[in-house]
Amino acid sequence: MRLLHTSDWHLGQSLHNFERGYEHQRFLDWLLDTLAAEQADALLIAGDIFDNANPSSASQKQLYRFLRQAGERLPRLNIVVIGGNHDSPGRLEAPGPLLEAHGTRVVGAVPRDTAGAIDLEQLVLPLTGADGAVQAWCLALPFLRPGDVPRPAPAAADADAAVDAADGADAADAAPAPPGDPYLAGIATLYRQALALAEAKRQPGQAIVAMGHCHMVDGQMSQDSERRIVIGGTEMLPAGIFGPAIAYAALGHLHLAQTVGKQGHIRYSGSPIPLSFAEIGYQHQVLRVDLDGAALAGVSAIPVPRAVQLLRVPARPAPLEQVLAELAALEFRTPATEAADADTPSHAPPIETQPLLEVRVRLDAPEPGLRARIEAALDGKPVRLAKIETSSGPRGAAPEDATLTLDQLDRLKPDDIFRQLYQQKFNAEAPAEQLSAFAELMLPAA
């Protein structure tokens, strides 16, 4: 059986006010062709389908159009979607009855019966092969909020966390949950209960795969674009929550594709497009997962083509004059640019295909005309200026008496604070013209 694993689409995301709809559509078109070319039996989408809990109508249409097209083109394809921390569980599940007609099952939140008990049957889903027979079982657990998980007895929480951390992992790889943490113990309990039900259902030769949207211990986060799941850092899960009977764990939340520790069968697929400039160097991908009966036969990456370039110029912050020289020397030869040149040499490529640019400048003093000078250097170039990142040079050591008493703070005037902030940021005295401008700002309104 062949599965494709993807996650963290973040449909509807904008990068510094530039919409990403074109890039997402290019990815979805590519994914549809890839599913057909790979003859995939199932597509696992491990959360953060949308970028926020109230997605635009355009991003919802993108998702549902893709799911309809996949169902029409590949009638026997299993599609399993779980909710992530960016998704609204109710909104994600609302069209579920319609989506099931096209082979898509959505689990946005932990389902409960009329008595309020967790309905495990709706979390353990059969995956069928080309012949329509069940070949695997999927533990489709969405992002788990503290109120979603079972509450073990306090005396059992520590023991459960330790057992689940060590079960199925080498002692060196196991990372037990913080002692007495009911949230992590509850997550481990829910995975164990779902696994027990899957083991009871499966027949010889049928695999068990798990899905989750979570932050595993030692997982590498992306700067700028990933939201902490729980404040305090106790949300990180040990690999041992996935028992040894699980052939593969398809995870979402971290945007960098990676394995969890030394467990090659526990993986993040990563996001399909770079969601911040910090992700420029990532190799975005979906994962091809092959099962041989109940066992994992292999996992390999399928690179996702990048529809739009993200650029950082320069690679490291530099003085303004150097930055302007590098911007003036920029030349762009992308496939979209070449196609546009061939058809209409006098016109720039469509705006949505043009690279997104972050300019990185190191300043020794304020530069009021910074944006205008950068825009002038880029004039006529087919590029979208998304961000100007400024930084200052090395700062001097803070004086020993930098800590002020409450009385000293009370005596500070606004211009004193301005002088100190300027000194801290630029390691120099504030110029007279800057002090004069600040004083003018502080004048009471007429």
Side-chain angles (χ1 to χ4, degrees):
M1 187 177 199
R2 173 163 291 176
L3 321 174
L4 291 191
H5 166 203
T6 180
S7 72
D8 295 275
W9 293 359
H10 288 267
L11 299 177
Q13 193 234 16
S14 61
L15 184 63
H16 302 289
N17 297 319
F18 287 101
E19 298 295 330
R20 313 294 298 282
Y22 169 78
E23 295 163 80
H24 277 124
Q25 191 57 54
R26 288 285 301 272
F27 162 68
L28 294 174
D29 294 342
W30 172 87
L31 181 58
L32 190 61
D33 291 339
T34 301
L35 286 164
E38 295 290 334
Q39 299 181 325
D41 298 299
L43 174 66
L44 308 181
I45 310 174
D48 280 357
I49 315 305
F50 297 114
D51 191 56
N52 59 66
N54 188 27
S56 67
S57 60
S59 56
Q60 293 181 71
K61 285 179 182 178
Q62 272 193 319
L63 172 65
Y64 301 135
R65 184 185 302 113
F66 167 79
L67 295 176
R68 176 181 59 79
Q69 291 173 335
E72 291 173 349
R73 188 166 174 181
L74 303 162
R76 292 194 176 277
L77 179 69
N78 301 263
I79 302 178
V80 181
V81 180
I82 63 170
N85 58 302
H86 282 251
D87 298 313
S88 163
R91 186 180 295 275
L92 202 60
E93 288 187 342
L98 292 175
L99 295 177
E100 286 181 13
H102 295 282
T104 298
R105 287 160 290 180
V106 180
V107 182
V110 174
R112 295 182 181 270
D113 60 24
T114 54
I118 294 175
D119 188 352
L120 292 172
E121 290 285 345
Q122 295 188 51
L123 295 174
V124 180
L125 307 177
L127 300 178
T128 56
D131 59 359
V134 175
Q135 294 190 10
W137 294 89
C138 179
L139 314 184
L141 274 65
F143 167 63
L144 298 170
R145 295 167 175 82
D148 294 332
V149 300
R151 291 290 180 180
D158 290 356
D160 282 348
V163 168
D164 286 309
D167 190 18
D170 294 333
D173 299 325
D181 189 317
Y183 176 50
L184 298 193
I187 292 175
T189 298
L190 187 55
Y191 270 102
R192 186 173 62 249
Q193 292 172 348
L195 177 58
L197 179 59
E199 289 184 299
K201 286 177 173 290
R202 74 165 169 179
Q203 300 297 314
Q206 294 177 351
I208 297 177
V209 299
M211 297 179 69
H213 191 90
C214 50
H215 189 170
M216 303 298 292
V217 170
D218 295 330
Q220 292 182 256
M221 292 187 69
S222 167
Q223 295 179 351
D224 303 332
S225 63
E226 285 174 358
R227 182 186 301 168
R228 288 291 299 273
I229 290 180
V230 178
I231 299 301
T234 61
E235 76 274 19
M236 298 183 187
L237 306 178
I241 67 168
F242 299 111
I246 293 175
Y248 182 77
L251 303 181
H253 178 58
L254 300 185
H255 298 169
L256 174 64
Q258 58 193 281
T259 60
V260 175
K262 298 179 181 178
Q263 310 297 314
H265 68 294
I266 306 175
R267 293 187 180 234
Y268 289 96
S269 63
S271 60
I273 68 171
L275 297 169
S276 75
F277 285 99
E279 300 178 17
I280 287 177
Y282 290 6
Q283 176 56 69
H284 296 274
Q285 58 192 242
V286 300
L287 293 172
R288 179 199 298 115
V289 182
D290 288 319
L291 302 172
D292 184 5
L296 178 66
V299 182
S300 53
I302 306 175
V304 178
R306 189 167 292 186
V308 172
Q309 290 179 283
L310 266 65
L311 304 174
R312 269 179 161 171
V313 178
R316 296 180 181 276
L320 178 57
E321 295 305 322
Q322 177 183 334
V323 171
L324 294 175
E326 291 193 33
L327 294 176
L330 279 179
E331 293 185 1
F332 299 95
R333 301 301 303 174
T334 66
T337 305
E338 292 171 358
D341 288 347
D343 296 336
T344 54
S346 61
H347 292 84
I351 187 70
E352 67 270 14
T353 70
Q354 295 178 10
L356 291 165
L357 174 65
E358 177 187 83
V359 177
R360 313 175 83 186
V361 186
R362 188 174 71 245
L363 296 176
D364 297 322
E367 180 62 49
L370 179 63
R371 173 170 284 274
R373 296 186 68 184
I374 289 174
E375 289 177 343
L378 294 171
D379 187 42
K381 297 182 183 294
V383 64
R384 292 174 285 173
L385 177 60
K387 181 182 180 183
I388 300 174
E389 180 188 76
T390 61
S391 59
S392 56
R395 298 174 183 172
E400 294 182 1
D401 59 349
T403 302
L404 302 178
T405 66
L406 291 177
D407 288 341
Q408 289 172 322
L409 286 171
D410 188 54
R411 291 195 297 269
L412 280 177
K413 304 300 181 187
D415 60 316
D416 295 326
I417 298 172
F418 180 83
R419 291 172 189 270
Q420 291 188 21
L421 287 174
Y422 192 100
Q423 176 71 39
Q424 181 182 9
K425 184 172 179 63
F426 298 109
N427 198 28
E429 294 291 335
E433 63 270 18
Q434 295 284 338
L435 292 171
S436 176
F438 179 76
E440 185 177 346
L441 284 174
M442 296 302 295
L443 290 174

